[in-house]
Amino acid sequence: MFNRSRRNLARWFTLSMGSILTIFCTVLYVLELRDRLHSFDLALADRVRVMASSVEYRYHRGAWQLNLQQVPVLGTNALRFNHNIVYARWYDRHKKLVQFVGVHPPSHLEAVAGFRTVRPVDRADPWLREVTFPVYQQGQLIGYLQVAISLASVREFSRQLGWFLTFGVPLALGAIGLTGWVLGGLAMQPIREAYDRLGRFSADASHELRAPLAAILNNAQVGLMLPVGDGSQQQMRLEKIVNLAKGMSELVGQLLFLSRYSGRLNFQKLPAIDLREWLTQVVSQFQERAIAQSHPIDLKMGDRPLFVRAEEDLLRQALFNLLDNACQYSPPDTPISIRLYSKLRHAAIAVEDNGIGIPSEDLPHIFDRFYRVDLVRRPQHGSFGLGLSIVAQIVEVHGGTIGAASAGDRGTTFTLELPICAASPAKIH
C-alpha cells in the first residue's frame, strides 16, 4: 500500500515538475533563439549601413548620377572587409535591378523593406537572412540595397541548444522522478510509522487480550450455570471478572502509551529540571509504597546540581516502573539503592535491587515488548512484560539511553542516562 502511494506521489510530482520544466525549456529555447536572431540582425544592419554610406549620388553634367564603385562587396574599387555575405544587390528607386554580386537575382525587387529569412534552392546551406534597406540622400530615395548572409551560426546555436535540451530534459525528468521517489518516501515515513504503531498496537492488543477475555467469558458462563442461591460462588466469579477487567484496562493503557510516544520530544520546549531536587520528590512520593513492601530506599547523590530537559511526568513514570520492578522481584526487607551521578555529558540514574537477578542470555531482550524472563516474570506477578518497554521508550524520546546489568542471583542494576543541559535559575523547575 505504501509503495503504491509512494509511486503515485513520485509519478504526480514528476508529471507536474516535468510539465513545468518542459514549458520553461520551450520558452527558454524560443527566447534564446529570438535573442540570437535579434543580435544577428543588428550586426547585419550595421554592415548594410556601412555599404549604404559608400553610395555616391551626385548631380553631374545636368543629370543625377549613381556611383556604386566604392560600395563594399558591390563596387570594384571598394576595400574588401571580412564578411560572410552571400549576395548583395542594388535596385533603383523604381525597384529595377542595377547591380549585384552573388546569386543571380530577379530583375524586379519583390521584397518589402526589412528583414526576412529566405531559402534559396541552389545552396547547400538553404537558410539565409536577407535585409532590404532603402537608401536616402538629401531626403530623396535613391534606391534599395539588398544583402543576405548565411544563418549557419544561428542554426548551429539552435542545433546545439536543441540537442542540449533534448538530452537534458529527459535527464532532468529522471532526476525529478528520483527526487520525487525519495521525497515521497520521506513524506510517507511518518504515516508508515503511525501505521506500524497502529499495527503493533492491534497485534499486541489482540495477542494479550485474548487470554483475559477468554477468562472473563469462562467466569461469566460458570457464574450463569451456578444455582441462584449460591451467592458466594457468584461473588467470587464477579471478583475475578473485575480483576481481569482491571488488568485489561492497565494493559490497554500501557499499549496506548507505547503507540502514542515515538521519535523524540522537542528539547527546546521541555523544561530544565534539577535531578537532585526532582529525585528527592519522586523518592518521597514512592517511599510509602516501598515501605509497605518492606523495601527501604537508599538515595545517594552529589552536592552539585544536574540539569536535564525532560517531561517530569514521563520521567517520573519511568522511575516508578523501575522501582516497582525492583520491589516486585526483591525479597522483603532488602534495600533498593538509587544513585545519581554525572557521566561525561550525561546524568546517570542507577536503580539497584537485591533480587534474584536476570540471566545473562535474557538481558539483551528485557526491554522488548511482552518479553518475560521465565525465572522471575511469572503469571502470579501480574506482569504483562511492558513495564521495561515503557521505561526504554520514555528514555529514548528524551534522547537518552538505558541499560541493565545483573550478576547472577545478586540483584539487578538499571542505569538510565540523559543529556545534561545548562539552565539559568529562571528555567529551573
Side-chain angles (χ1 to χ4, degrees):
M1 180 182 69
F2 288 101
N3 285 333
R4 183 172 66 253
S5 299
R6 187 178 183 182
R7 285 194 298 270
N8 290 335
L9 283 175
R11 185 181 300 114
W12 283 107
F13 180 77
T14 303
L15 182 61
S16 58
M17 295 302 296
S19 301
I20 295 174
L21 178 64
T22 303
I23 294 173
F24 173 78
C25 290
T26 302
V27 173
L28 175 66
Y29 180 81
V30 173
L31 292 179
E32 283 292 327
L33 195 59
R34 183 180 298 177
D35 182 69
R36 182 58 64 95
L37 188 60
H38 178 68
S39 301
F40 191 85
D41 288 345
L42 291 178
L44 176 58
D46 289 340
R47 294 186 181 184
V48 173
R49 289 191 185 94
V50 171
M51 296 174 65
S53 64
S54 302
V55 176
E56 296 181 0
Y57 188 69
R58 60 184 177 175
Y59 190 79
H60 183 69
R61 296 182 181 181
W64 288 96
Q65 294 183 355
L66 179 70
N67 183 11
L68 300 176
Q69 298 304 312
Q70 303 300 325
V71 177
V73 182
L74 276 175
T76 57
N77 298 330
L79 295 176
R80 299 292 177 180
F81 59 93
N82 294 330
H83 64 84
N84 56 351
I85 295 177
V86 176
Y87 59 79
R89 301 160 182 173
W90 179 266
Y91 292 88
D92 63 15
R93 61 183 179 179
H94 302 294
K95 299 185 177 182
K96 292 183 179 181
L97 181 64
V98 176
Q99 189 171 331
F100 71 94
V101 172
V103 181
H104 194 279
S107 58
H108 192 270
L109 179 63
E110 299 177 353
V112 297
F115 293 90
R116 68 170 184 169
T117 301
V118 296
R119 186 178 182 182
V121 296
D122 56 347
R123 281 184 53 83
D125 184 8
W127 298 103
L128 304 175
R129 190 63 171 171
E130 179 188 270
V131 59
T132 301
F133 189 78
V135 180
Y136 292 86
Q137 286 191 5
Q138 300 178 357
Q140 182 180 359
L141 177 65
I142 63 173
Y144 296 89
L145 180 62
Q146 188 178 75
V147 177
I149 60 177
S150 174
L151 278 173
S153 61
V154 178
R155 285 177 55 79
E156 181 62 24
F157 170 77
S158 173
R159 187 180 298 110
Q160 293 178 356
L161 183 60
W163 280 113
F164 174 77
L165 295 179
T166 299
F167 289 100
V169 170
L171 290 176
L173 289 177
I176 290 173
L178 181 60
T179 303
W181 176 260
V182 174
L183 292 179
L186 294 177
M188 295 291 293
Q189 188 63 28
I191 302 176
R192 179 187 290 271
E193 292 176 355
Y195 184 81
D196 291 341
R197 289 197 302 270
L198 179 61
R200 286 197 301 270
F201 173 79
S202 301
D204 295 342
S206 62
H207 176 268
E208 291 297 320
L209 293 177
R210 186 181 296 112
L213 285 174
I216 290 175
L217 180 61
N218 180 59
N219 280 280
Q221 290 175 341
V222 172
L224 291 174
M225 295 171 60
L226 292 173
V228 177
D230 194 353
S232 60
Q233 289 293 325
Q234 291 180 349
Q235 178 70 23
M236 181 187 68
R237 297 294 176 181
L238 291 175
E239 289 177 355
K240 288 184 178 181
I241 291 175
V242 169
N243 291 331
L244 289 169
K246 288 181 179 179
M248 292 173 61
S249 177
E250 179 184 355
L251 173 62
V252 171
Q254 292 177 347
L255 290 174
L256 287 174
F257 177 89
L258 290 172
S259 64
R260 185 182 303 116
Y261 290 96
S262 63
R264 284 196 177 186
L265 299 176
N266 187 350
F267 284 179
Q268 301 301 323
K269 297 181 179 180
L270 293 177
I273 62 174
D274 182 2
L275 286 180
R276 295 173 68 255
E277 297 180 2
W278 178 82
L279 265 180
T280 303
Q281 297 175 2
V282 172
V283 171
S284 176
Q285 294 169 1
F286 192 82
Q287 191 76 42
E288 183 178 350
R289 191 188 310 179
I291 293 176
Q293 300 182 43
S294 302
H295 294 294
I297 296 179
D298 179 20
L299 177 60
K300 299 177 182 179
M301 51 188 178
D303 298 330
R304 298 178 58 185
L306 289 175
F307 293 101
V308 297
R309 292 193 177 275
E311 182 65 47
E312 294 187 50
D313 292 337
L314 291 180
L315 204 57
R316 182 182 296 106
Q317 181 176 354
L319 190 59
F320 274 15
N321 282 6
L322 291 179
L323 293 174
D324 278 331
N325 192 74
C327 292
Q328 187 174 6
Y329 302 114
S330 296
D333 300 321
T334 55
I336 296 173
S337 174
I338 301 177
R339 291 186 297 117
L340 172 64
Y341 59 94
S342 62
K343 183 179 180 182
L344 296 178
R345 298 182 179 180
H346 290 77
I349 301 175
V351 178
E352 182 179 358
D353 62 43
N354 293 278
I356 59 176
I358 300 175
S360 58
E361 62 271 14
D362 293 313
L363 283 176
H365 310 288
I366 58 175
F367 297 107
D368 296 342
R369 295 185 182 187
F370 301 111
Y371 187 82
R372 298 181 179 90
V373 180
D374 293 337
L375 295 179
V376 296
R377 296 185 182 274
R378 295 171 181 167
Q380 59 265 29
H381 290 134
S383 171
F384 296 108
L386 291 175
L388 292 179
S389 299
I390 291 176
V391 174
Q393 189 152 335
I394 291 175
V395 175
E396 288 175 2
V397 298
H398 284 87
T401 58
I402 185 170
S406 181
D409 57 354
R410 290 177 293 177
T412 305
T413 301
F414 290 94
T415 304
L416 60 89
E417 299 179 6
L418 299 173
I420 295 176
C421 73
S424 62
K427 294 182 179 180
I428 299 174
H429 284 228

